[in-house]
Amino acid sequence: MTEAAELPQAPAEAQAVFGELFPEAVRYAELLADAGVKRGLIGPREVPRLWERHLLNCAVLSEVVPEGVTVCDVGSGAGLPGIPLALVRPDLKITLLEPLLRRTNFLQEVVELLGLDHVTVVRGRAEEVLGTLQPVQVVTARAVAPLDRLAGWGVPLLKPYGEMLALKGDTAEEELNGARAALSKLGVLETEVLQVGEGVVDPLSTVVRVVVGESPGGVRFAAKRAKAARTGRTRRRR
């Protein structure tokens, strides 16, 4: 018996959330339960709760993502939350950013199998692609790092007045309070903790939202972006 055989039937909420792309969501769940486990991208104990704890938990993030924006999913891993978000929001242009080759290979396979033309897979770390990856309006992340460290990676990738949406757990408020000084240095102007997924997931998904001003990442990262842009122009002229 394979791990895929242990995948429970999709709950009724999944059909409502994913709509016309529900078959693609089922295929993604099957890929996670099979290839995802075999490649070490997700633990076998997570298979029975893939729908509630992972796919739906991530899909409801769409409730707070503005319409038609560009998104970078930092540390995408097995595609959470980027792939579920892409399945429910074809209006978004999403980049799945992940440094590990085995994970980017899996992500590329998933994107091609599911026909997600609005999704691009990029291999690299956030600090490495700064200046080469086009700034985005929204950065998403889930289970990547503590908020202060995550913001140091994700916030500099934003356009001015963009926002980072981080899926967090029960300690979201505590984590946010402990990261306020670091967030301020990164040019963050607004913060809030949101609950999403009413009627879909229980417990609700917790999202930390941070909004930046004119200088995403602060002065230090503004200098890095300017240097990267100059380097890029020099290379194009050669």
Side-chain angles (χ1 to χ4, degrees):
M1 182 179 292
T2 64
E3 294 293 345
E6 299 176 15
L7 179 68
Q9 185 176 355
E13 292 85 356
Q15 297 189 39
V17 169
F18 291 104
E20 292 182 358
L21 290 185
F22 173 67
E24 284 77 5
V26 172
R27 182 65 181 129
Y28 176 51
E30 292 170 346
L31 289 167
L32 284 175
D34 189 359
V37 171
K38 291 175 181 176
R39 299 187 196 182
L41 304 182
I42 192 166
R45 293 183 180 180
E46 296 303 311
V47 173
R49 51 186 184 179
L50 267 178
W51 284 105
E52 290 82 0
R53 185 182 176 93
H54 298 286
L55 273 75
L56 289 173
N57 176 271
C58 291
V60 296
L61 181 63
S62 65
E63 295 177 16
V64 289
V65 178
E67 186 175 350
V69 297
T70 53
V71 178
C72 181
D73 189 32
V74 173
S76 194
L80 301 165
I83 296 293
L85 184 61
L87 287 169
V88 297
R89 293 290 300 276
D91 59 298
L92 305 175
K93 186 171 183 179
I94 300 177
T95 297
L96 306 179
L97 181 63
E98 169 57 46
L100 295 185
L101 180 60
R102 64 186 171 90
R103 292 176 180 172
T104 53
N105 285 342
F106 175 79
L107 292 173
Q108 191 61 52
E109 291 167 16
V110 170
V111 167
E112 292 174 4
L113 282 168
L114 302 186
L116 300 176
D117 297 335
H118 58 305
V119 179
T120 302
V121 179
V122 174
R123 185 185 176 196
R125 300 182 184 280
E127 59 269 31
E128 295 170 347
V129 300
L130 187 65
T132 59
L133 190 70
Q134 285 293 318
V136 296
Q137 291 154 304
V138 175
V139 162
T140 59
R142 178 181 188 250
V144 174
L147 187 60
D148 54 351
R149 200 188 318 160
L150 173 61
W153 298 334
V155 167
L157 300 177
L158 290 169
K159 289 184 175 183
Y161 307 105
E163 58 190 85
M164 183 177 77
L165 301 170
L167 279 162
K168 289 289 183 179
D170 296 337
T171 61
E173 288 279 5
E174 181 182 341
E175 205 170 320
L176 177 57
N177 289 333
R180 291 194 186 280
L183 293 175
S184 179
K185 290 179 181 178
L186 290 168
V188 171
L189 299 183
E190 300 176 27
T191 63
E192 61 180 327
V193 175
L194 306 169
Q195 301 286 323
V196 295
E198 182 72 40
V200 178
V201 290
D202 184 17
L204 299 178
S205 298
T206 302
V207 181
V208 176
R209 177 175 178 260
V210 302
V211 182
V212 299
E214 294 182 0
S215 301
V219 175
R220 181 163 62 94
F221 286 101
K224 280 188 177 183
R225 277 192 296 271
K227 182 179 179 181
R230 289 195 299 271
T231 302
R233 287 194 296 269
T234 300
R235 287 174 179 168
R236 286 193 292 271
R237 286 196 295 265
R238 289 177 181 173

